[in-house]
Each structure stands twice: as C-alpha cells, then as structure tokens.
C-alpha cells in the first residue's frame, strides 16, 4: 500500500487499497488509521459524506473494499481540547471552598468528549467555579472524581482543589469498604426480581459484540472487573396472584462502581431497566399490558429509569461524614404513577 499521509493538507488523507484489501469500508479504514481514529468515528465520517471513492461519496460503512480503489478522507478540524465555561443551570445541593455537590438532570453529559465538546457539566462547573477547577484531574475532566451516564439523574460531588480531588478519588476507589463512601440508586425495572432482596456478584468487561457496551464476563478474563450490586425491591407494580409483577421500583447499593453496572446487572438477572434501549430494548412490548394512557407514558419515557438518589462521603478537609439525597425526578415519578394505574 502507498504511504497514506503524503497529502499536503493535514486534514486530507488518501488511501489506495492493495491486492490483499477486502472487507467492510469502515473496518478497512480503521485498520489503515490504527489508533489515530476509532472505527466508530470513521463510520460517522463515512455516513456524513467525508469519504469519497474516485470522487463519488462512499456513504455506506458496509461497502466492500476492492483492490486498487482509492479513497479520499476529509477529516474535520480538531476541537479545542480545553473546555470553556458556559452559563448553564446547576442544581447545587452544597458548596464550600473544597467541593461542590450537585443534582444532575437527565440529558447532561458529565465531561467533554467525542460528539459532546460543549454543553457538559464540566462546562457549567468551569463557569460557576472559575479558575479553581483548572487542571484538577486533567484538562477535560477538571474536578471530576466520578460520573453518571448522560441520561442518569442524581447526586454528584466535584472537587475544587487538588487535595480534595485526591482524597475523594481515594474514597471512590475504596468503594466504601474501609471508608465512609456510600452510593445508592433507585431504578424501575421490568418484572419482579427473585428474591426481593439480593446481591448480584458478576464481573463486568467490554462486550465482545459492541465495544461501547459492557457485559458480564468470566472472572478469569483479562479485562473483567469485579462488580457487586446489592438490591432491594421497594414497590411492586401490577402484581398478580402468582407473585409476578409487571415492574418494580428497586433500591440498588453499589459495592463497586463499574460503567453501566446497575443496568448490566439488572438485565443479567432478567430485569432490565425501563427505557434502557441498550440493555433491555426487547422488554418494551410489556407496555402493551397497560391501558392506553399509561402505555403512552411508558413508551414515551426517553431514558433508562435510573436515579442516583444517595451519596455519602467524608469531607476531605474536616473529616465530617457528608450525606446527600435527591428525590426521584418528575419523569420517574410520572412513570411510577402510570405503572400503579
């Protein structure tokens, strides 16, 4: 294959397929770029028309590459890696010189990243806190010691100086085993977990079918991480005489804090979260058991029904145990009411 990077314009790359080339266009391009650009990012660029073959847009990521074909890729200009402050609303539960505790709404991304360079919690915090966050924990994640998924609501703490960041990070790494940290969520799940109070001890790792997803893995797999969730059913919706139920409100306490842990664990035991199209999309038809008005509310629910209602930690300066709770947001209250009938 010819050298792909001899074009004079830095954002233009030209690649010619050699005699051994084949397979999907997105996979082939990912192999040529290596770690410089991810396959998922290349797939987006292909669909946006940034890849052409002999002057014609190649907009199908599944297109089969043939030897001798020449592809031109126009890469977008790089984004400024330094987040800028933005005047976005924050629901502040507590704030002092060392930290700030907020209640995160649904739809808010925690820190800038691919596809979300602005409008994040970090942008709002930089505007709110000023220069105090500068450089703490990295340029793109200043002050962030833990995160919630974009569509998960609830309590978060952010450090405002290096000492607070280190102390809080240690507590989150300890997962409350020897320190005061406690994290608890409420979720609405399909069906009725058995038993009503239980522990899910199932290691998590990257899914082999989709690198953006997590999955339960064997403990001896190299990339598997210990993951333990303690759950308790708080309320059963539309319970039947045979002790089954359409859905339940569940309390989940984390003993570990892995990406998507509660979502994957509850799906693993057969009770995925309502609204979770990633791990429980196949359960959506259960809403057909409801009356039309309730079914409409369930079908319109736009996110996974998960809320981080409790966060407890030791203050990094005073040693005081700080305890914060945030009530269920309005959309989950409406969802629970619809399920009650």
């Amino acid at each position: 294959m010819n050298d792909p990077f001899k074009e004079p314009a830095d954002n233009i790359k030209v690649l010619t397929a050699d005699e051994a080339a084949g397979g999907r266009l997105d996979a082939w391009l990912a192999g040529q770029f290596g770690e410089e650009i991810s396959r998922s990012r290349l797939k987006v660029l292909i669909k946006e028309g940034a890849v052409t073959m002999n002057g014609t847009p190649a907009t199908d990521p599944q297109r089969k590459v043939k030897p001798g074909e020449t592809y031109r890729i126009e890469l977008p200009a790089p984004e400024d890696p330094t987040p800028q402050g933005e005047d976005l609303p924050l629901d502040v539960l507590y704030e002092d010189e060392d930290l700030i505790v907020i209640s995160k709404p649904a739809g808010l991304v925690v820190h800038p990243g691919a596809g979300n360079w602005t409008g994040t919690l970090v942008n709002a915090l930089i505007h709110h806190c000023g220069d105090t966050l500068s450089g703490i924990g990295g340029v793109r994640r200043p002050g962030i010691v833990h995160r919630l998924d974009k569509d998960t609501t609830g309590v978060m703490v952010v450090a405002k100086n290096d000492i607070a960041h280190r102390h809080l990070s240690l507590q989150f790494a300890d997962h409350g085993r020897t320190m005061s940290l406690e994290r608890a969520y409420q979720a609405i799940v399909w069906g009725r977990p058995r038993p009503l109070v239980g522990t899910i001890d199932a290691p998590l790792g990257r899914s082999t079918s989709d690198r953006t997803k997590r999955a339960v893995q064997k403990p001896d797999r190299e990339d598997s991480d210990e993951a333990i969730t303690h759950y308790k059913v708080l309320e059963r919706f539309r319970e039947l005489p045979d002790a089954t139920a359409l859905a339940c409100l569940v309390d989940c306490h984390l003993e570990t804090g892995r990406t998507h842990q509660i979502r994957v664990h509850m799906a693993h035991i057969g009770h995925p979260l309502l609204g979770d199209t990633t791990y429980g999309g196949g359960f959506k038809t259960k809403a057909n058991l409801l009356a039309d008005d309730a079914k409409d509310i369930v079908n319109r629910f736009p996110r996974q029904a998960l809320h981080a209602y409790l966060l407890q930690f030791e203050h990094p300066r005073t040693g005081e145990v700080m305890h914060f709770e945030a009530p269920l947001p309005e959309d989950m209250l409406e969802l629970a009411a619809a399920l009650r009938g």
Side-chain angles (χ1 to χ4, degrees):
M1 188 188 73
N2 62 309
D3 185 346
F5 303 121
K6 289 187 176 179
E7 285 282 311
D10 289 339
N11 69 320
I12 303 295
K13 310 298 179 187
V14 176
L15 301 168
T16 299
D18 61 19
E19 294 180 356
R24 291 170 49 125
L25 176 59
D26 57 350
W28 179 77
L29 288 177
Q32 310 310 305
F33 280 95
E35 295 183 356
E36 184 179 353
I37 307 177
S38 69
R39 180 174 173 177
S40 59
R41 179 58 177 148
L42 286 165
K43 185 181 293 186
V44 171
L45 291 175
I46 292 168
K47 291 181 177 180
E48 290 178 346
V51 179
T52 59
M53 195 279 287
N54 297 334
T56 302
T59 56
D60 182 6
Q62 300 184 48
R63 173 194 176 93
K64 300 301 181 182
V65 175
K66 299 178 181 179
E69 290 180 336
T70 298
Y71 292 89
R72 180 180 185 273
I73 304 96
E74 184 172 350
L75 303 174
E79 299 279 354
D80 184 354
T82 305
Q84 304 299 312
E86 297 178 51
D87 188 5
L88 304 172
L90 283 175
D91 184 359
V92 178
L93 305 181
Y94 174 84
E95 183 176 10
D96 61 24
E97 61 182 322
D98 297 302
L99 55 86
I100 179 172
V101 180
I102 62 104
S103 180
K104 189 186 89 65
L108 182 64
V109 175
V110 170
H111 55 74
N116 295 286
W117 296 109
T118 61
T120 70
L121 175 60
V122 162
N123 297 111
L125 289 168
I126 291 173
H127 175 83
H128 180 85
C129 300
D131 294 335
T132 60
L133 288 181
S134 180
I136 303 168
V139 174
R140 290 190 181 175
R141 305 185 184 190
I144 301 299
V145 293
H146 70 120
R147 61 184 291 275
L148 297 175
D149 292 338
K150 173 184 176 181
D151 290 324
T152 298
T153 56
V155 187
M156 286 188 64
V157 60
V158 177
K160 294 173 71 174
N161 55 58
D162 286 317
I163 294 175
H165 190 274
R166 286 196 297 270
H167 197 290
L168 288 168
S169 295
L170 284 173
Q171 293 185 60
F172 277 89
D174 180 70
H175 300 300
R177 290 188 168 108
T178 63
M179 306 174 79
S180 301
L181 184 80
E182 184 178 358
R183 301 169 70 183
Y185 296 69
Q186 288 186 353
I188 299 177
V189 305
W190 289 114
R192 175 190 182 276
R194 296 174 183 271
L196 295 176
V197 179
T199 295
I200 306 169
D201 185 348
L204 299 181
R206 193 178 297 281
S207 170
T208 55
S209 61
D210 185 341
R211 65 185 301 274
T212 65
K213 295 172 63 176
R214 309 292 286 178
V216 170
Q217 304 289 1
K218 294 181 179 179
D220 57 355
R221 213 178 93 158
E222 185 177 347
D223 70 337
S224 69
D225 296 312
E226 180 186 34
I228 301 173
T229 303
H230 304 284
Y231 74 86
K232 177 182 179 181
V233 173
L234 301 177
E235 183 177 358
R236 287 163 272 180
F237 303 114
R238 309 294 176 107
E239 189 171 26
L240 299 176
D242 63 359
T244 61
L246 178 64
C248 287
L249 176 66
V250 179
D251 181 286
C252 295
H253 275 65
L254 296 183
E255 188 172 320
T256 58
R258 309 303 179 191
T259 300
H260 297 179
Q261 178 172 318
I262 293 174
R263 298 167 63 188
V264 178
H265 270 177
M266 296 311 297
H268 176 63
I269 64 171
H271 302 285
L273 276 60
L274 271 72
D276 193 342
T277 57
T278 301
Y279 299 106
F283 282 70
K284 191 172 183 179
T285 55
K286 287 183 176 291
N288 294 332
L289 299 172
L290 297 166
D292 287 344
D293 55 345
K295 179 170 67 174
D296 183 58
I297 291 172
V298 172
N299 287 334
R300 285 190 292 104
F301 195 76
R303 64 183 184 92
Q304 65 267 8
L306 184 62
H307 175 66
Y309 77 91
L310 182 153
L311 178 62
Q312 178 179 287
F313 56 88
E314 182 181 297
H315 194 284
R317 184 184 297 270
T318 67
E320 178 187 357
V321 175
M322 312 286 286
H323 185 98
F324 298 94
E325 293 191 24
L328 279 177
E330 287 297 324
D331 62 348
M332 285 185 65
L333 290 173
E334 181 185 34
L335 182 62
L339 291 167
R340 289 188 193 102

